[in-house]
Amino acid sequence: MIAIREINEQDFEEVAKLTGQLNYEVNATETLHRIKAIKSSVVDVAFVAVYNELVVGWIHSFYTIRIESKPFVEIAGLVVDSACRNQNIGKLLIEKATDWAKGHQVTSIRVRCNTIRKDSHKFYEHIGFRLTKQQMIYEIDI
């Protein structure tokens, strides 16, 4: 049985390995620092999916306010171990984040998804998300 619980600092190594499955270059030490920051934040939350005492997925969400739109919660990241996909784990993680979002009185949850992640697009649409916007993201090093 899958259990969903809030992330804790002891999860950092397993979370870092899962993050690598999305091709993000992150090490365990960086992951630990980020988990600590999320745990101390009032606008961020992260949950893990646990199966047989092993973390098999995680989700990070945050509450956000924009001048031009109503407040919302955004899914900053979601990953399920490649060996455990198609077992409703991602859906369970999103349901937990949705419960958290309801506590912030928002009316929507958003997620950004890389254009190359076609399976992720199908997953989000399958569970009820709809495409509302496409955009480019620009970045500058400082």
Side-chain angles (χ1 to χ4, degrees):
M1 180 171 182
I2 301 294
I4 308 296
R5 63 164 170 77
E6 198 164 338
I7 200 168
N8 63 51
E9 293 174 14
Q10 292 76 24
D11 298 322
F12 75 98
E13 289 177 332
E14 292 169 301
V15 168
K17 287 178 189 171
L18 288 171
T19 305
Q21 289 187 18
L22 293 179
N23 296 320
Y24 287 105
E25 292 184 25
V26 62
N27 64 45
T29 302
E30 291 169 330
T31 301
L32 176 59
H33 290 300
R34 293 172 187 166
I35 289 171
K36 287 179 179 181
I38 289 167
K39 296 285 289 176
S40 67
S41 171
V42 295
V43 295
D44 291 85
V45 70
F47 298 102
V48 292
V50 180
Y51 179 71
N52 286 338
E53 299 182 29
L54 180 67
V55 174
V56 296
W58 62 258
I59 189 169
H60 168 210
S61 300
F62 62 94
Y63 172 83
T64 188
I65 297 174
R66 302 281 188 260
I67 288 175
E68 74 282 1
S69 60
K70 294 187 284 184
F72 59 93
V73 166
E74 184 167 330
I75 297 170
L78 169 66
V79 63
V80 173
D81 189 295
S82 60
C84 300
R85 292 184 185 149
N86 299 310
Q87 298 179 33
N88 285 324
I89 296 169
K91 184 178 179 185
L92 290 171
L93 286 163
I94 289 174
E95 287 172 355
K96 188 71 170 178
T98 299
D99 289 343
W100 179 83
K102 288 176 182 175
H104 290 299
Q105 284 88 43
V106 298
T107 59
S108 66
I109 296 178
R110 296 182 185 176
V111 62
R112 299 170 199 243
C113 192
N114 192 314
T115 57
I116 65 171
R117 298 191 194 284
K118 303 296 184 194
D119 288 340
S120 295
H121 305 167
K122 291 176 189 174
F123 164 74
Y124 288 118
E125 290 171 1
H126 177 74
I127 63 169
F129 283 79
R130 66 190 180 291
L131 180 62
T132 59
K133 179 178 168 180
Q134 292 184 349
Q135 65 186 77
M136 307 289 284
I137 297 176
Y138 295 90
E139 183 175 321
I140 189 169
D141 293 333
I142 56 172

